[in-house]
Amino acid sequence: MPSTDYQGSSSPLTNLGRSFLPLRRDQVHSMESPIGGSPSNEAEFESFQKQVADRFHDLADVSSDELLSLPWVRKLMDVFLCCQEEFRVILFNNKDLVKKPPMDRLIADYNERTVKALDVCNAIRDGIEQIRQWQKLIEIVLCALDGDSYSYQRSLGEGQFRRARKALVDLAIAMLDEKDSGQALAHRNRSFGSHNNSSSLGHFRSLSWSVSRSWSAARQLQAIGNNLAVPRGNEVLATNGLAMPVYTMGNVLLFVMWALVAAIPCQDRGLQVHFNFPRQFPWAAPILSLHERILEESKKRDRKNACGLLREIYQMEKCSRLLGEFADSVQFPLGEEKEKEVRQRVNELKQVSDAMKEDLEPLEKQVREVFHRIVRSRTEGLDSL
């Protein structure tokens, strides 16, 4: 999904899907709307539900090799930004409803969830920085052993292998020592907010810095999901159905933050989040399917102790480990076959590193955009009230 999908205003809402009131539709149709709603409202809300479902079906329609890859995570960010923009338009089109109870409370609850998500964005930013530190160690290995840096007519010597082995050992330690390295990065106090925007972000000053040493991704996800319940019948009626898009967006927010924590190294990761929503919602099946598949991935023998389920992290760890084991076993001078095998393993590591370089920075920009979009939506909501 191209990033331009979420630029500017939402595209026209078309192709109405199943009702967004699968549990309460008969109740809603059986009585007059207490606040003067119109059929166009229901059509708009149903269309939003279908758009969310279609996007998550698209995310779920991938192979195991594509799931949790950098391109897939970037696509997940696009999906969130698109949903967030369409949700913002719905709230804008129903400003009068937003100000009335019980809608004001439901919106306040959603805003609290988004504020908690800001810390997750900061933790993910720290995790991306952590991956960059690993890439620097890989660069040392490539510089020492890569055929592009040394003529193939020049044999690899002990000095080059010593340098590469040291970097590989440092990389293995860094990838294992998730907790300490994550805390060290978090303590650098990096911020998504720029100095030029300090006035508009002042309300979020305490939440716009990287997370503290005691912060826990697992606890934060639980806080985002707390009391995320299907709106009661009287709430659906009193809000003319607007409670349902708010509930949907709350679940989208929770799943996206959970998937980010699953994929990217961050402090005190934990995937023990339960998604309890009725399967009648059109978006329920793809989200539950993705949740199950990601959990299954985390339980695999070679992924249980991983600091992140990102596909490229797994490839980086595997390639560097195999190269390290090979480097430990070589004897000098290298024979032609051994040197050819070294070049092959180095090339595999280089391909993984190049893939990281290509997608890591765009992903960071998307996470930053999610952060700012949440802040901007929250500020707009406060201004309107």
Side-chain angles (χ1 to χ4, degrees):
M1 186 179 300
S3 59
T4 52
D5 283 0
Y6 58 81
Q7 299 293 334
S9 60
S10 171
S11 58
L13 299 173
T14 55
N15 301 323
L16 302 184
R18 287 189 293 168
S19 174
F20 72 97
L21 302 175
L23 304 179
R24 322 277 193 203
R25 186 176 182 121
D26 293 339
Q27 291 174 283
V28 173
H29 281 208
S30 67
M31 38 191 315
E32 293 287 328
S33 170
I35 45 183
S38 67
S40 63
N41 278 15
E42 182 177 344
E44 182 182 31
F45 301 161
E46 285 184 349
S47 181
F48 175 66
Q49 300 287 327
K50 185 176 185 299
Q51 294 279 0
V52 172
D54 288 347
R55 290 193 171 99
F56 276 96
H57 274 297
D58 193 34
L59 279 172
D61 188 23
V62 295
S63 67
S64 297
D65 289 339
E66 294 173 280
L67 184 68
L68 293 169
S69 66
L70 273 170
W72 186 88
V73 176
R74 289 186 58 198
K75 190 174 182 178
L76 177 71
M77 294 293 93
D78 275 345
V79 165
F80 178 82
L81 289 165
C82 290
C83 293
Q84 172 71 15
E85 177 62 17
E86 290 167 2
F87 179 64
R88 186 190 68 82
V89 171
I90 287 175
L91 294 184
F92 179 82
N93 291 340
N94 296 273
K95 287 186 290 187
D96 292 340
L97 283 172
V98 170
K99 300 175 184 178
K100 298 176 181 178
M103 201 64 238
D104 55 348
R105 174 181 57 79
L106 296 175
I107 290 294
D109 288 346
Y110 173 75
N111 284 337
E112 282 302 309
R113 300 184 204 282
T114 63
V115 169
K116 292 179 174 69
L118 296 180
D119 274 350
V120 177
C121 290
N122 276 318
I124 296 303
R125 166 64 178 81
D126 287 336
I128 291 173
E129 180 63 23
Q130 187 175 345
I131 295 173
R132 283 205 181 97
Q133 301 306 311
W134 301 345
Q135 284 185 293
K136 290 179 181 178
L137 293 169
I138 289 178
E139 287 297 326
I140 294 174
V141 177
L142 297 179
C143 185
L145 302 178
D146 190 8
D148 291 337
S149 304
Y150 289 88
S151 168
Y152 277 91
Q153 296 177 354
R154 176 180 174 181
S155 295
L156 296 168
E158 288 188 63
Q160 292 158 246
F161 268 86
R162 267 197 306 271
R163 187 181 179 205
R165 269 199 296 260
K166 182 181 185 306
L168 288 169
V169 169
D170 289 344
L171 176 62
I173 293 172
M175 295 183 78
L176 283 174
D177 199 9
E178 171 202 351
K179 186 175 181 181
D180 291 341
S181 56
Q183 288 179 343
L185 283 165
H187 207 55
R188 292 181 181 182
N189 286 344
R190 292 177 180 265
S191 172
F192 281 124
S194 66
H195 294 296
N196 294 334
N197 294 332
S198 58
S199 58
S200 62
L201 298 178
H203 180 69
F204 298 94
R205 184 177 181 87
S206 64
L207 292 169
S208 63
W209 300 96
S210 291
V211 295
S212 69
R213 288 175 178 271
S214 61
W215 187 84
S216 163
R219 289 197 301 269
Q220 198 75 356
L221 289 173
Q222 290 173 356
I224 293 173
N226 278 347
N227 302 316
L228 184 55
V230 179
R232 296 186 295 272
N234 63 318
E235 291 174 330
V236 175
L237 293 172
T239 62
N240 209 28
L242 186 57
M244 284 300 186
V246 176
Y247 173 71
T248 296
M249 199 61 209
N251 280 290
V252 168
L253 176 74
L254 176 60
F255 177 80
V256 169
M257 294 299 122
W258 176 83
L260 280 175
V261 168
I264 306 295
C266 62
Q267 200 167 300
D268 191 25
R269 291 170 65 250
L271 305 184
Q272 297 77 28
V273 172
H274 299 287
F275 292 87
N276 297 315
F277 39 71
R279 288 182 175 270
Q280 292 94 325
F281 286 104
W283 42 263
I287 288 182
L288 289 172
S289 172
L290 285 168
H291 178 246
E292 183 178 348
R293 289 176 67 186
I294 292 172
L295 280 181
E296 286 301 313
E297 192 71 19
S298 71
K299 295 174 184 176
K300 289 182 179 178
R301 182 177 179 182
D302 54 352
R303 310 300 295 278
K304 281 186 177 180
N305 297 320
C307 54
L309 297 179
L310 192 70
R311 183 71 51 185
E312 288 78 1
I313 291 178
Y314 172 69
Q315 293 169 340
M316 179 188 293
E317 190 277 333
K318 182 180 178 181
C319 289
S320 61
R321 175 171 47 80
L322 291 174
L323 182 58
E325 290 172 356
F326 182 82
D328 287 339
S329 66
V330 297
Q331 295 180 345
F332 298 95
L334 282 180
E336 185 177 336
E337 287 299 318
K338 288 290 185 182
E339 187 154 342
K340 184 178 178 181
E341 188 173 348
V342 171
R343 306 285 188 188
Q344 181 181 342
R345 294 190 184 280
V346 168
N347 186 55
E348 291 171 355
L349 185 60
K350 186 176 186 297
Q351 289 177 355
V352 173
S353 179
D354 289 345
M356 282 279 199
K357 287 178 183 177
E358 182 178 349
D359 284 310
L360 204 59
E361 184 174 350
L363 174 61
E364 182 181 20
K365 289 179 179 178
Q366 287 174 302
V367 175
R368 185 182 292 114
E369 176 63 19
V370 168
F371 182 97
H372 284 303
R373 193 71 67 87
I374 289 173
V375 170
R376 192 154 58 244
S377 297
R378 164 80 167 163
T379 303
E380 288 174 357
L382 292 173
D383 289 344
S384 68
L385 292 173

